[in-house]
Amino acid sequence: MSDRIAAAQATLRANDRGGYTVPNPHIYPFQWNWDSAFVAMGFGTFNAARGFDEIDTLLKGQWENGLVPHIVFHAPADNYFPGPSVWGTNQSVPTSGITQCPVLASAARHLWEHAPDRALADARMAQIYPGLIRYHAWWRQTRDPHGTGLVATLHPWETGSDNSPAWDGPLARVPTETVTEIIRRDTGVVDPAMRPHAHDYQRYIHLVDAFRGVAWDPARMLAASPFRVADIGTNAVLLRANQDLMALGERFGTAPERAALAAHSDQMRAAIARQWDSAAGIFYARDLIADAPIRVGTSAGFLPLWGGAAPPHQAASLAATLGRWASKVAYLVPSTDPDDPRYEPRRYWRGPIWSVVNWMIARGFAAHGHSALARRIDADTRALVTKNGFWEYFDPRDGTGLGGPDFSWTAGIDLVLGTDGATPATSPSASSAQTSAAPAC
Ligand code: DGY
């Protein structure tokens, strides 16, 4: 085993709390939804059973209505704000009351397809598949009840890209007053210049207060939230996850489940196509309150490639857009267009590079025939770690590691890249999982 693989495995083991993995114990001392999805894939490269544990443990926090929360507070820790008492969700396992970018079913499929022990993989997948089906039904029923093809996200934390400049406009509608006293812990351990501003946190917590005030009732949250956006990243990732779940459903599910996923995917594909901006050469998120596109170029705008929602001419245009971005930075993929005045290369989701997003974008480009660009993105993802280690995020100009060190999902993706090789060959098609354990993503 190489030193690098040993170091990545050691990072996951150090952050392992027994069945779940904290992203970083000093900043995020609980289990996070999409972090755990990527971590499960990382564990899958050397211990598939432990990878399945990660998803099992996350699903222990699943709500009766199907929601998989963005944080599960399995054990107390006082170094994170907002903790369980602020959320006040009254679940038997304490959790937050919102969800997060729904990559879980795609990660589960990856884990299942790569597991060497097929009997174990089948047995473990059979256990988690019903939870994944309920989660996707929750997305359809509570976040797109009228079947528009776009699911709504009601909190910037749900998108995963918390302080993206894409949310500046919609978030400005959210009042800064809070019932809850804000006692931030993050800025005690990470340079505040790399984190969201105080005014962002006031609005984040205003939303939590508001949702707690309607007892986390999905319909009332959707109707009352002053922040309601169709994140292009969340929608593309859900479309991809729908297809991965359909592929798993061939073996583990029923025809009606697959039909519901297929119908939703058709609606989503059509709606995502309408978020394309041909002049800008990128997909935009949509403000569902203003009913208008959010014209900010972000790395999420490339994710319809991963979701399988971009025809060849749009893939070519996206490649040209990323080529322009590449001429402005040393490493790909900055989370905001480097030409945008709101681009901040060190502030969290306003510019830095995130390995997990790179991984999805690279596979999206590869699936559309842009292999050289895909290889460049993978090479950059690896080079950033070679240069600096498993940091939470990286400065696109010089690769400086930012946020927290020894970060679980960065190590997880490094393991996946080191194991799968640098040339991704993936498409969201359902075919390979139906019949074999051949890698699809
Ligand atoms: C944080 O606390 O920064 C997270 O992104 C919220 O989930």
Side-chain angles (χ1 to χ4, degrees):
M1 181 195 310
S2 72
D3 288 352
R4 182 178 186 132
I5 290 178
Q9 292 185 2
T11 300
L12 292 190
R13 287 202 185 92
N15 293 340
D16 185 352
R17 294 295 175 270
Y20 73 97
T21 309
V22 298
N24 168 293
H26 308 293
I27 317 173
Y28 308 102
F30 306 108
Q31 185 174 26
W32 261 259
N33 181 330
W34 76 323
D35 290 73
S36 274
F38 291 108
V39 160
M41 287 167 39
F43 271 119
T45 64
F46 63 102
N47 184 347
R50 178 60 188 80
F52 280 108
D53 290 347
E54 190 76 27
I55 298 178
D56 263 342
T57 311
L58 181 70
L59 291 176
K60 288 201 168 73
Q62 185 166 28
W63 289 19
E64 196 65 34
N65 68 5
L67 166 79
V68 180
H70 98 298
I71 309 175
V72 184
F73 303 102
H74 296 286
D78 59 11
N79 59 336
Y80 179 78
F81 175 87
S85 62
V86 177
W87 291 96
T89 54
N90 292 321
Q91 297 292 308
S92 51
V93 180
T95 72
S96 70
I98 57 174
T99 192
Q100 207 165 30
C101 190
V103 74
L104 193 61
S106 299
R109 180 184 180 189
H110 186 280
L111 183 59
W112 177 71
E113 290 189 331
H114 288 74
D117 180 341
R118 302 309 307 156
L120 173 131
D122 283 351
R124 299 297 303 268
M125 181 54 74
Q127 282 171 342
I128 62 176
Y129 176 83
L132 298 175
I133 282 289
R134 288 176 50 228
Y135 182 38
H136 282 236
W138 175 88
W139 270 107
R140 288 195 300 277
Q141 290 158 8
T142 71
R143 295 309 180 84
D144 186 18
H146 304 299
T148 66
L150 292 176
V151 292
T153 40
L154 305 184
H155 195 295
W157 287 340
E158 290 197 318
T159 68
S161 53
D162 307 3
N163 66 337
S164 167
W167 314 141
D168 290 358
L171 206 52
R173 238 179 251 126
V174 179
T176 51
E177 293 72 35
T178 62
V179 177
T180 302
E181 185 190 0
I182 298 176
I183 310 168
R184 287 180 69 173
R185 308 288 186 193
D186 57 323
T187 43
V189 281
V190 176
D191 180 351
M194 299 176 189
R195 293 287 303 173
H197 290 286
H199 59 77
D200 294 321
Y201 260 78
Q202 287 163 347
R203 294 181 163 105
Y204 299 159
I205 299 305
H206 178 96
L207 289 168
V208 173
D209 286 344
F211 299 152
R212 195 183 56 243
V214 295
W216 303 101
D217 176 80
R220 292 171 73 194
M221 286 168 64
L222 186 68
S225 180
F227 180 91
R228 194 160 68 240
V229 302
D231 171 28
I232 194 67
T234 299
N235 276 279
V237 165
L238 183 62
L239 173 59
R240 171 59 185 249
N242 268 349
Q243 293 164 87
D244 288 323
L245 198 47
M246 279 163 64
L248 292 169
E250 291 287 337
R251 191 174 184 109
F252 299 99
T254 64
E257 286 164 0
R258 291 197 301 281
L261 290 166
H264 187 224
S265 298
D266 288 346
Q267 286 173 350
M268 293 197 80
R269 224 173 271 110
I272 289 173
R274 291 193 289 275
Q275 311 317 311
W276 174 251
D277 187 299
S278 53
I282 200 162
F283 290 88
Y284 284 138
R286 192 164 189 83
D287 184 335
L288 295 176
I289 293 178
D291 194 20
I294 301 171
R295 297 184 194 283
V296 182
T298 69
S299 53
F302 298 100
L303 287 174
L305 293 164
W306 163 253
H313 74 279
Q314 290 174 352
S317 186
L318 285 164
T321 299
L322 192 55
R324 174 175 60 75
W325 291 23
S327 70
K328 304 291 163 70
V329 296
Y331 297 94
L332 291 176
V333 176
S335 42
T336 299
D337 180 347
D339 282 331
D340 189 299
R342 290 156 289 196
Y343 167 68
E344 290 182 74
R346 295 207 163 183
R347 194 181 290 280
Y348 209 40
W349 287 92
R350 299 184 78 84
I353 299 164
W354 295 76
S355 297
V356 296
V357 178
N358 272 15
W359 185 79
M360 293 188 283
I361 294 174
R363 268 127 210 88
F365 274 120
H368 290 77
H370 296 272
S371 311
L373 189 50
R375 280 196 298 273
R376 158 80 200 270
I377 297 168
D378 276 351
D380 284 5
T381 310
R382 294 280 277 171
L384 290 163
V385 168
T386 308
K387 195 170 176 205
N388 287 309
F390 305 114
W391 282 85
E392 184 178 1
Y393 44 97
F394 300 90
D395 187 327
R397 298 167 304 179
D398 60 5
T400 300
L402 306 168
D406 304 323
F407 218 80
S408 296
W409 73 5
T410 309
I413 281 299
D414 201 61
L415 285 167
V416 170
L417 281 175
T419 310
D420 287 358
T423 307
T426 185
S427 98
S429 96
S431 59
S432 68
Q434 295 167 12
T435 51
S436 76
C441 54

